[in-house]
Every structure is written in C-alpha cells, then in structure tokens.
Amino acid sequence: MKFIYLILILFLVSCNENIKTQPKISFEDSITATLIGKWGGQGEKDPVWEIRKDSVYYFEHLRAYPYELKNHDLIINLSNNNQVKLENTHVIVDTLFFISHLGLTTRAVRFK
C-alpha cells in the first residue's frame, strides 16, 4: 500500500513540475497568431490587408502600418496620429470578425 502512495506522490509531483515549466501564452500572442495572414471581403478577388506580426499592410495604400492589441481591440496606427480601432476582434476558423468605427459588425475572410 505504501508503494502505491509513493508512486501516486511521484506522479503528482511530476505533473506539477510540467505545469510550472510550460510557458504562458498571453492573449495578445494568441490572437496575433490567428490574425496573421491576408484578409478581404467575401467574394473579392484580392485581399484588402495582410496582417503581419507587427503591422497591417494595406494593399490599396501600398503601405504597412503598425498596430497594437488592447484587450480584444486591434488598433492600427496610421500616419498623422490617426488610428483605426477594430473592436472585439476575433477569428473563428477562417473568418475575422470585428466592430468597425461605425458600430457595424464586420467580417473578413482569410485568403489562402
């Protein structure tokens, strides 16, 4: 019986050590990983944006702009201190959802 307790204790200690050594992934890292890619409207031939690790490239402008994630909002920093705020940004499968500056829920699809 003592042998079973010893094995159980060793197992629990081992599991606890594995939990401590695993790196914690922040929300920002997690959402960034799902955002990376080319996005555009459904049925469009070409993408509108390419979201990169640290910037959003607008194909129409031929320019990339830095962005930041705050809570669930994607804030794109345009030139001249202007910002575009995409609220409640999230990805389900290959569809990007956000609330635009007009208060409309907007969708974009991933281009492959």
Side-chain angles (χ1 to χ4, degrees):
M1 189 71 163
K2 290 181 183 180
F3 182 70
I4 293 174
Y5 286 127
L6 180 61
I7 290 175
L8 182 60
I9 289 171
L10 289 175
F11 176 74
L12 291 174
V13 169
S14 173
C15 289
N16 192 26
E17 287 299 316
N18 288 338
I19 291 170
K20 289 180 185 176
T21 59
Q22 292 178 352
K24 292 184 180 179
I25 298 174
S26 69
F27 165 77
E28 286 79 12
D29 291 340
S30 175
I31 190 72
T32 299
T34 62
L35 288 174
I36 291 175
K38 294 179 182 178
W39 299 92
Q42 189 168 8
E44 291 185 12
K45 247 174 43 174
D46 299 314
V48 175
W49 307 321
E50 180 179 6
I51 300 178
R52 302 170 179 169
K53 184 176 181 173
D54 59 356
S55 64
V56 176
Y57 181 81
Y58 280 78
F59 288 96
E60 183 178 315
H61 300 177
L62 301 174
R63 183 160 180 204
Y65 301 97
Y67 72 86
E68 57 188 307
L69 290 165
K70 288 188 178 178
N71 299 319
H72 291 272
D73 301 338
L74 176 71
I75 301 167
I76 304 168
N77 297 305
L78 304 174
S79 52
N80 301 328
N81 294 325
N82 291 326
Q83 293 182 330
V84 173
K85 185 176 182 182
L86 309 178
E87 296 179 15
N88 194 24
T89 303
H90 59 282
V91 176
I92 299 175
V93 186
D94 281 335
T95 305
L96 171 67
F97 296 88
F98 59 89
I99 299 172
S100 72
H101 66 284
L102 299 173
L104 301 172
T105 299
T106 306
R107 296 180 193 188
V109 294
R110 186 184 303 273
F111 279 67
K112 296 182 181 188

